[in-house]
Amino acid sequence: MKIALLLHNAYGIGGTIRTTMNLAAALADRHDVEIVSMMRHRQTPRFALDPRVRLVPLVDTRPDGEDAKDPLFSQASQDFPAAEKRHHQYSRLIDTRVAAYLRGCPADVIIGTRPGVNVYISRFAPRRALRIAQEHLRHDAHSKKLRAELASHYRALDAVVTTTEADAAVYRAKMPMPGVRTLAIPNSVPEPAVAPSEGTAPVIAAAGRLVPGKRFDLLIDAFATVAEKYPDWQLRIYGGGAEKERLAARIERLGLTGSAELMGSRSPIEAEFAKASLVAVASDAESFGMTIVEAMRCGVPVVSTDCPLGPGEIIQDGVTGRLVPTGDEQALANALMDLIADAPGRRAMGAAALERSRAYDPAPIAQRYDRLFTELEASRFARSWERGRATTRTRLGRLARRLGVSPGRRRAPAARKEASA
């Protein structure tokens, strides 16, 4: 089977890129796989790509490249949703290249990995192929305008795959799509190339983009409480972003210089997690929680806010990690201190986390996709019938409303009206 996975930019850094490359490598054990990058901004990808997987870039966005000379390069996209936050990065040149690629695509399965790319697939991919939208963001993280546009396009696809069961339930409730399979398949995280943490180093690690929603400010405040009681422990925060200067100032203001540090970006992050005894997540929301699984794969228990939607599906509270109320600085500090004080319990929790993390091996995740492909192929006719029935009901409902007929009732024939009169 030929499989194409479409990425926004395979040459960047991010969880969606990592998990797509992981999935592509696992699928390559049985299939012919390629990753199609809407754009490229550098010569080579930052993440290592399995040599069995082809990488197809569509538009080179570097200012000195040949594509930059094309007049369409400077024209705004007309096909990528305007409400999608990446719209400003898309051009008519990308529109035309994507449309040409998809219309001639020989793949049996075409998978998109962000909303705007999924819209491209709905518009241009051949209907003979299985067309699947992956959603790496939460339904409720999309604007109302974007959700309305996505609904019309997603209803033409074969499946919508979320990363959590909770988000799949939201899509089924808020965006009903007859004939479209809506389900959850988590991201995959391969076994790291480092030995598991021994759980003895006095280090708490955290990683992610330095943006407000990750709430590193809350984590730093909680760590200030931890540091008062356990001054030998350190907090190491990995990542880059717009909040760097503000967080650095907060560390200095709280007197944590030397014990709390902004370490910059690291890839892969597992080598740093393996040096820690605890990993902390303070986010207000997580569509999945890649860093949680990456820490667990290193045998490190995670203390996380029980934010929507991913942490509660990954962490078994009190067994593989700890869950605390979102936004609760004291609860976060208390959970960290509980595990700092209980070294044997912390190491036992790390061992349980390592065992649990094997559920996210790429191989079983790829098998779930294989089963989905088989199911979608076998149910084509039934799903088409379901879609057709729903469309007919919708059209009849609109006609009834125009004629002033209440749903489920018919107008009385004129002859019966006269007779009753």
Side-chain angles (χ1 to χ4, degrees):
M1 181 179 286
K2 293 183 178 180
I3 300 172
L5 296 111
L6 275 61
L7 267 173
H8 165 67
N9 187 349
Y11 295 79
I13 292 177
T16 299
I17 301 169
R18 290 203 309 276
T19 193
T20 299
M21 290 185 174
N22 293 341
L23 177 61
L27 289 171
D29 288 341
R30 297 187 55 222
H31 305 289
D32 180 6
V33 183
E34 69 181 19
I35 291 176
V36 183
S37 183
M38 304 297 97
M39 59 189 75
R40 70 185 299 177
H41 68 288
R42 64 196 310 271
Q43 186 62 32
T44 57
R46 293 184 184 276
F47 294 126
L49 182 65
D50 189 300
R52 299 170 300 173
V53 178
R54 292 185 302 279
L55 178 57
V56 181
L58 296 182
V59 172
D60 191 331
T61 61
R62 287 173 287 186
D64 57 346
E66 287 299 313
D67 286 340
K69 301 174 185 177
D70 192 305
L72 296 179
F73 184 84
S74 58
Q75 296 180 22
S77 168
Q78 297 176 15
D79 297 324
F80 195 87
E84 231 265 41
K85 69 177 183 179
R86 296 285 186 181
H87 179 267
H88 66 284
Q89 295 180 263
Y90 281 74
S91 66
R92 281 301 290 159
L93 184 58
I94 295 178
D95 286 350
T96 57
R97 295 269 176 90
V98 175
Y101 170 83
L102 287 172
R103 284 170 176 150
C105 183
D108 303 292
V109 180
I110 303 174
I111 302 173
T113 57
R114 72 170 299 116
V117 174
N118 297 334
V119 169
Y120 277 144
I121 292 174
S122 175
R123 286 179 183 270
F124 305 121
R127 292 185 177 272
R128 58 161 183 76
L130 295 176
R131 302 180 302 166
I132 299 172
Q134 285 183 350
E135 271 289 352
H136 292 270
L137 291 175
R138 299 173 297 116
H139 171 278
D140 292 347
H142 299 321
S143 69
K144 184 176 180 180
K145 184 177 180 181
L146 178 58
R147 291 198 299 263
E149 186 166 0
L150 294 180
S152 63
H153 288 288
Y154 281 13
R155 290 187 180 110
L157 300 176
D158 293 285
V160 173
V161 179
T162 65
T163 58
T164 65
E165 295 290 348
D167 203 32
V170 173
Y171 270 91
R172 285 190 286 266
K174 296 185 178 182
M175 194 185 289
M177 296 175 280
V180 180
R181 182 89 160 83
T182 304
L183 72 159
I185 301 178
N187 292 335
S188 64
V189 178
E191 184 178 0
V194 295
S197 168
E198 295 180 358
T200 56
V203 174
I204 301 167
R209 291 176 296 116
L210 304 184
V211 295
K214 295 295 184 180
R215 294 306 310 273
F216 288 114
D217 58 335
L218 182 76
L219 175 57
I220 291 168
D221 291 350
F223 180 70
T225 301
V226 173
E228 286 182 9
K229 188 172 182 179
Y230 298 99
D232 56 327
W233 278 71
Q234 293 183 323
L235 172 64
R236 298 173 182 171
I237 298 175
Y238 298 91
E243 293 281 286
K244 181 179 179 180
E245 291 185 7
R246 191 173 73 87
L247 295 174
R250 196 181 202 92
I251 289 171
E252 184 176 359
R253 186 170 66 252
L254 292 172
L256 296 174
T257 302
S259 58
E261 295 185 75
L262 302 179
M263 309 294 291
S265 298
R266 297 286 193 280
S267 181
I269 191 61
E270 288 90 342
E272 305 306 324
F273 283 167
K275 299 173 186 176
S277 293
L278 292 170
V279 165
V281 174
S283 301
D284 284 335
E286 287 284 350
S287 55
F288 176 64
M290 282 285 286
T291 57
I292 296 174
V293 180
E294 288 165 339
M296 292 169 65
R297 297 237 61 170
C298 296
V300 181
V302 179
V303 176
S304 173
T305 50
D306 192 11
C307 61
L309 292 163
E313 292 190 16
I314 300 171
I315 297 171
Q316 185 179 358
D317 188 29
V319 178
T320 61
R322 290 289 305 275
L323 294 169
V324 300
T326 304
D328 192 329
E329 173 193 328
Q330 191 59 53
L332 181 59
N334 289 342
L336 290 169
M337 290 189 292
D338 286 347
L339 291 175
I340 288 172
D342 183 10
R346 183 175 70 240
R347 287 192 288 271
M349 192 174 281
L354 179 60
E355 181 62 29
R356 165 70 178 133
S357 73
R358 295 192 174 99
Y360 299 94
D361 279 341
I365 300 300
Q367 289 169 7
R368 291 174 69 168
Y369 272 97
D370 274 331
R371 289 195 294 270
L372 175 61
F373 302 155
T374 301
E375 176 192 334
L376 292 176
E377 189 62 49
S379 63
R380 274 186 186 271
F381 178 78
R383 289 184 297 103
S384 178
W385 177 257
E386 181 184 354
R387 199 192 316 261
R389 286 182 61 192
T391 301
T392 300
R393 285 196 301 269
T394 299
R395 289 174 177 171
L396 289 175
R398 289 173 181 167
L399 178 61
R401 286 192 294 273
R402 283 201 299 269
L403 295 175
V405 180
S406 299
R409 297 179 60 187
R410 295 182 178 179
R411 284 178 175 270
R416 288 176 58 188
K417 286 185 177 180
E418 293 172 2
S420 63

